[in-house]
Amino acid sequence: MTPVQRHREGYPWRRVLFGCSVVLLCWGIGLYREYQEIADVRIKQVQDWAYAKTWTLASGFTAERVDSFRAPLWKNEISGNVLEIGPGLGDSLLLLSRERVGRYVALEPNRHFHGALADNAKRAGFMSVGYDAESSPGASDGEFTIVNGTLDGVPKYVVEHGPYDTVVSSMVLCSVDDLQGTLERIWELLKPGGRFVFVEHVRHTDAMDASVDGESEVVNLRMWGWIQEVVTPVWSLFTGNCHLNRRTGEALDGMRGWEKVRYSTRRSSKLKDVMGPFIYGVAFKSQP
């Protein structure tokens, strides 16, 4: 190789940068393995914070879409001893008929929502708002009690204050790790004859779906269902584990133990809504 050729090649920056990138990647993997437990906690905290900020901005849009369907359910179907899973900011509490509701347990795993949730509970007419002592040491409960946790491992407080006349979920089942397991635990926590009241966005079904309400718009079901499947793996990383392709209605229909499952599906062809058709209704637990 001549001196001119060596000069033209210059310093091998690409190789150096590649080598440094590999070293940094291996170092990062090693650190994560060494401190995995701490890292997972920190990552979860950042995700919860980011999702709380995002949902605070998006909740108004969601309420605009679903409140005309949610309001009659919340007013007429929710009563007695109530458990709500994943109430978030608690804005739907304002739709309740307060005189029909006794104790209300709000199972919310994201602590960044707890302050707004407590404020909305007071606005909805609950005189005493508290926290369970297990997830918030030193706290006391109230007629409205916030419990930090999920149904993946049902908190002691939730079990002790059951069974429930009504279990409520609103745009929550899309984000649980185990849909079938969560529905089974909801069923277990209900009294015989109790009600599961829900509004949940779902994957597009087929053209023969009899649950679609009469005012839904025509949608290319095959195309948008395929898009939901493709987008979900990435979408769920940034939206609190939200899955656009959940088949919640079908899962409820296929469960034993319900005396009746009654729901409707709403579709929209508007670009802002077409990725999120939703079901709204009530499932009644069988009497013994």
Side-chain angles (χ1 to χ4, degrees):
M1 183 180 291
T2 67
V4 175
Q5 288 175 319
R6 286 197 299 270
H7 177 71
R8 285 178 179 172
E9 285 185 4
Y11 194 78
W13 287 111
R14 291 183 180 178
R15 294 180 182 178
V16 171
L17 289 173
F18 177 76
C20 289
S21 298
V22 172
V23 170
L24 286 172
L25 178 61
C26 293
W27 180 61
I29 292 173
L31 280 177
Y32 177 72
R33 287 179 174 176
E34 183 70 22
Y35 302 103
Q36 182 174 356
E37 187 174 339
I38 297 173
D40 287 346
V41 171
R42 297 301 183 196
I43 291 170
K44 181 66 166 56
Q45 289 173 342
V46 172
Q47 287 176 327
D48 283 351
W49 174 85
Y51 180 65
K53 293 294 184 183
T54 303
W55 184 247
T56 299
L57 296 173
S59 61
F61 163 70
T62 301
E64 181 183 334
R65 287 184 62 214
V66 307
D67 268 0
S68 60
F69 307 94
R70 183 165 57 179
L73 289 173
W74 263 235
K75 181 179 180 180
N76 300 317
E77 303 290 353
I78 297 175
S79 62
N81 187 29
V82 180
L83 168 67
E84 181 170 4
I85 59 173
L89 298 168
D91 42 359
S92 65
L93 295 171
L94 304 178
L95 303 175
L96 295 170
S97 291
R98 179 65 189 89
E99 65 277 6
R100 289 169 50 86
V101 176
R103 176 185 291 274
Y104 204 104
V105 178
L107 183 62
E108 174 51 59
N110 191 330
R111 291 183 183 273
H112 296 284
F113 285 133
H114 287 183
L117 178 56
D119 290 342
N120 277 321
K122 293 173 184 175
R123 289 176 61 199
F126 291 95
M127 301 304 294
S128 61
V129 177
Y131 298 82
D132 76 298
E134 186 175 2
S135 57
S136 300
S140 58
D141 62 357
E143 59 180 358
F144 186 97
T145 302
I146 299 170
V147 181
N148 191 72
T150 70
L151 291 186
D152 290 333
V154 185
K156 182 179 178 182
Y157 186 93
V158 172
V159 175
E160 289 179 343
H161 289 81
Y164 297 91
D165 298 292
T166 314
V167 176
V168 183
S169 79
S170 180
M171 301 300 186
V172 172
L173 297 180
C174 61
S175 61
V176 299
D177 291 328
D178 178 7
L179 174 61
Q180 193 62 46
T182 298
L183 290 175
E184 289 172 0
R185 283 183 282 276
I186 287 171
W187 184 90
E188 291 168 357
L189 288 165
L190 280 168
K191 292 179 179 178
R195 301 177 180 191
F196 172 42
V197 181
F198 55 89
V199 175
E200 295 289 343
H201 72 79
V202 294
R203 188 194 188 281
H204 280 292
T205 51
D206 59 41
M208 303 303 292
D209 186 352
S211 73
V212 178
D213 64 29
E215 297 184 16
S216 285
E217 299 168 358
V218 177
V219 175
N220 187 327
L221 301 174
R222 178 175 295 182
M223 181 186 76
W224 285 107
W226 178 82
I227 291 173
Q228 286 176 301
E229 294 288 350
V230 171
V231 169
T232 290
V234 177
W235 173 269
S236 62
L237 293 176
F238 304 98
T239 53
N241 201 41
C242 171
H243 288 65
L244 298 168
N245 58 352
R246 282 284 158 88
R247 299 177 183 267
T248 305
E250 296 169 47
L252 278 167
D253 287 335
M255 276 184 66
R256 295 182 178 181
W258 298 114
E259 180 178 325
K260 179 169 60 174
V261 178
R262 184 188 73 209
Y263 65 87
S264 297
T265 301
R266 169 51 65 107
R267 297 171 179 159
S268 173
S269 61
K270 296 183 178 67
L271 186 59
K272 65 178 182 176
D273 298 332
V274 72
M275 290 283 278
F278 60 90
I279 60 174
Y280 55 99
V282 187
F284 300 84
K285 184 173 179 176
S286 298
Q287 297 277 3

